[in-house]
Amino acid sequence: MKIKINATALIFILIFTACQKEKPIIEIIDSSLAFAARQYAGMAEVMKDKPGLLPRTIDTTGALITSNSGWWTSGFVPGSLWYLYEYTKDDKFRGYAATMTSFIEKEKYNKGTHDLGFMLYCSFGNGLRLTNDASYKEVLLTGARSLSTRFRPNVGCIQSWGSRKGWQCPVIIDNMMNLEFLMWAFKNSGDSSFYKIAVIHSDTTIKNHFRPDYSTWHVVSYDTISGKVEAKQTAQGAADGSAWARGQSWGLYGYTVMYRETGLKRYLDQAVHIADFLINHPNLPEDKIPYWDYDAPGIPNAKRDASAGSIMASALIELSGYVDQIKKQEYLSVAEKQIRSLASPQYMSKYGENGNFILKHSVGSLPANSEVDVPLTYADYYFIEALLRYRRLLGSI
Ligand code: GLY
């Protein structure tokens, strides 16, 4: 039996087949970075009228919300601008980044937060790496000393938040993200106390923060005198026993970095266990962008958290460099899928929209009804980082 296909049908089939082919990942990466540069140049121009302030998110009308330097996310936009300077080599980005970075300097004396790694290392740390400006080094070392004052020797952790009812010494999994800053301080000062704090904190966190399946509690609180665990709970997750998505990504990223910085195999093992828990999780959606909590009520209609996806992608790309070929391919295929998803119209903004942020659909704290389904600075920062890391990797294959 002969099947007749007319010319129009044939053209349709050819176009349809061509559209089904995935674009090469390098094209997605380069177009996303070019878009990020255009979008953030627009944001930096808007911020010229708001000296001392840093972008944070947008409100329900789409208007930009800013923060002062003391808010935990203050370092991310300066950090993204440094990354974009690294990518474009355009001095315009160096200028934008240096100006916004300077707004955060006073936080080097801030002993009231554990977030100094996010605030200072993403901004001044990237700035130092790219410019070698000696004044940045002083800011970073002073900041690292301030962060170290929050270490509680009898607990074996850096205290995250202040004491409150039921929590004498709360430590959150997010705190693993501040240790890269301390490891930098160790290497650049020769002061081994920075190394000891980072390693003791990581070991205490392995012992007390993780469940047998390698998911993590959000908050573990300790008795300040005995050092014993007094509570395992959540602040931003769906339930005490749930796997809050960003917390899982922070843990994955944190142990990957601690392995890179110390070479201690127990941190690599921990990162691999976390990665395997996440990528095999039955509630990780097809596009690999997590729901805001892996145990969120209402899945599959629960909100996604693009920030959990971008942090996870960046961490998986780095971790893929420390494992065997089979795992490497497994981790890279998830990270690549995450990049493709985040770069799609579902998550990526249109030019000039979304308060000039790059990604849509992140969740700050759903239980507090704060920053739900909005752009967030750290989703963008780790997305750009993931793009740069994957680009570097492709160049080296
Ligand atoms: N450290 C705060 C957060 O991840 O929301």
Side-chain angles (χ1 to χ4, degrees):
M1 188 183 78
K2 272 191 178 169
I3 299 172
K4 282 191 184 164
I5 299 176
N6 69 28
T8 320
L10 187 63
I11 290 168
F12 177 78
I13 290 167
L14 288 175
I15 292 174
F16 182 77
T17 313
C19 289
Q20 296 306 296
K21 270 202 186 152
E22 277 191 327
K23 260 196 191 170
I25 188 67
I26 190 66
E27 282 179 29
I28 307 254
I29 290 172
D30 279 332
S31 64
S32 299
L33 285 166
F35 173 73
R38 284 179 76 206
Q39 202 59 349
Y40 265 50
M43 181 190 280
E45 288 298 323
V46 169
M47 293 308 293
K48 277 186 175 167
D49 295 336
K50 306 175 196 303
L53 297 176
L54 289 308
R56 177 171 163 178
T57 182
I58 57 175
D59 68 16
T60 48
T61 70
L64 184 69
I65 297 179
T66 57
S67 76
N68 63 25
S69 62
W71 179 240
W72 76 276
T73 64
S74 61
F76 290 118
V77 170
S80 292
L81 291 165
W82 283 119
Y83 276 149
L84 292 170
Y85 168 56
E86 184 174 15
Y87 175 66
T88 60
K89 315 268 186 306
D90 182 342
D91 278 338
K92 176 179 79 182
F93 283 100
R94 180 175 175 155
Y96 293 146
T99 302
M100 274 201 212
T101 294
S102 70
F103 298 158
I104 309 173
E105 177 168 352
K106 67 174 185 293
E107 303 307 327
K108 68 186 177 186
Y109 299 120
N110 187 344
K111 296 181 179 146
T113 178
H114 74 135
D115 286 318
L116 289 182
F118 287 133
M119 293 151 78
L120 296 175
Y121 198 61
C122 296
S123 54
F124 284 92
N126 278 309
L128 179 65
R129 184 174 62 79
L130 295 171
T131 68
N132 219 12
D133 181 332
S135 68
Y136 285 10
K137 192 170 168 182
E138 179 281 315
V139 175
L140 288 162
L141 284 174
T142 305
R145 275 184 220 108
S146 297
L147 176 58
S148 297
T149 64
R150 298 184 68 80
F151 182 66
R152 308 288 175 248
N154 48 346
V155 168
C157 276
I158 299 163
Q159 180 164 354
S160 297
W161 298 332
S163 307
R164 58 188 78 170
K165 200 166 168 282
W167 292 344
Q168 291 182 48
C169 176
V171 179
I172 60 176
I173 186 64
D174 321 28
N175 212 340
M176 285 301 301
M177 295 298 288
N178 292 302
L179 306 183
E180 184 174 13
F181 181 33
L182 293 186
M183 292 304 293
W184 173 89
F186 161 61
K187 285 185 287 184
N188 285 273
S189 68
D191 180 347
S192 62
S193 69
F194 292 122
Y195 178 96
K196 283 183 194 143
I197 291 171
V199 166
I200 294 170
H201 182 99
S202 301
D203 290 344
T204 307
T205 302
I206 286 183
K207 188 163 151 236
N208 295 326
H209 248 91
F210 288 87
R211 308 181 182 113
D213 63 3
Y214 294 98
S215 66
T216 166
W217 272 277
H218 179 205
V219 187
V220 174
S221 187
Y222 296 87
D223 183 298
T224 45
I225 295 165
S226 69
K228 287 201 179 124
V229 172
E230 61 174 6
K232 294 187 176 191
Q233 290 175 312
T234 196
Q236 283 160 257
D240 289 340
S242 74
W244 172 54
R246 196 163 51 256
Q248 313 309 302
S249 293
W250 290 144
L252 172 66
Y253 193 114
Y255 282 100
T256 303
V257 166
M258 279 307 287
Y259 174 65
R260 181 221 302 151
E261 294 299 321
T262 64
L264 293 170
K265 185 159 174 307
R266 59 184 182 269
Y267 301 147
L268 176 61
D269 293 344
Q270 190 70 10
V272 166
H273 285 310
I274 301 168
D276 292 349
F277 168 76
L278 296 180
I279 66 181
N280 296 310
H281 200 290
N283 287 342
L284 183 65
E286 190 54 37
D287 70 0
K288 310 296 180 200
I289 306 305
Y291 297 103
W292 68 278
D293 191 303
Y294 287 83
D295 305 298
I299 287 175
N301 298 317
K303 300 276 184 218
R304 304 297 189 86
D305 179 14
S307 77
S310 63
I311 298 157
M312 184 173 160
S314 188
L316 285 175
I317 295 166
E318 173 162 12
L319 186 58
S320 77
Y322 308 143
V323 291
D324 63 36
Q325 278 301 320
I326 294 172
K327 279 220 169 293
K328 176 179 176 149
Q329 285 319 318
E330 203 183 342
Y331 293 168
L332 285 181
S333 88
V334 174
E336 183 173 321
K337 181 73 196 166
Q338 289 173 321
I339 288 175
R340 286 183 186 278
S341 300
L342 294 171
S344 75
Q346 175 61 25
Y347 293 96
M348 191 174 267
S349 163
K350 291 199 184 111
Y351 177 60
E353 295 182 4
N354 200 36
N356 290 105
F357 291 97
I358 301 160
L359 297 176
K360 305 178 280 185
H361 304 312
S362 287
V363 172
S365 177
L366 198 134
N369 197 22
S370 167
E371 301 178 334
V372 177
D373 201 10
V374 291
L376 288 170
T377 54
Y378 37 104
D380 287 3
Y381 177 86
Y382 291 101
F383 180 54
I384 297 172
E385 185 179 85
L387 295 170
L388 293 175
R389 284 181 170 184
Y390 207 68
R391 196 170 184 274
R392 212 170 295 130
L393 195 86
L394 292 173
S396 73
I397 282 172

